Amino acid sequence: YTTQMVALYFLSIALGTALAGVLAGYYDETDEGPFFIWVGLASVVTGVVVMLASKPIHKLMAGVD
């Protein structure tokens, strides 16, 4: 179980790094607007996904201490 948690930790870092690389492609020094729009949109979408997944995850972890 501990190994799985470490693997999920590394997976989250890998996904964050990949997303940062994709979002960096939108950066342009002459027009920074699209870059910040995409970063903000990615943050909002991630927050909504976490909020929607919160209740099912709490139900699945009902007996876990």
Side-chain angles (χ1 to χ4, degrees):
Y1 182 76
T2 304
T3 305
Q4 291 174 342
M5 292 299 105
V6 172
L8 284 175
Y9 171 73
F10 287 135
L11 178 64
S12 69
I13 292 173
L15 288 175
T17 303
L19 183 60
V22 168
L23 291 174
Y26 292 103
Y27 184 75
D28 182 20
E29 291 180 6
T30 59
D31 185 22
E32 296 176 339
F35 173 74
F36 288 108
I37 288 172
W38 281 108
V39 169
L41 184 63
S43 300
V44 169
V45 168
T46 302
V48 169
V49 168
V50 168
M51 286 189 327
L52 291 175
S54 179
K55 272 195 173 182
I57 290 173
H58 280 286
K59 286 180 183 177
L60 290 172
M61 296 183 64
V64 179
D65 289 330

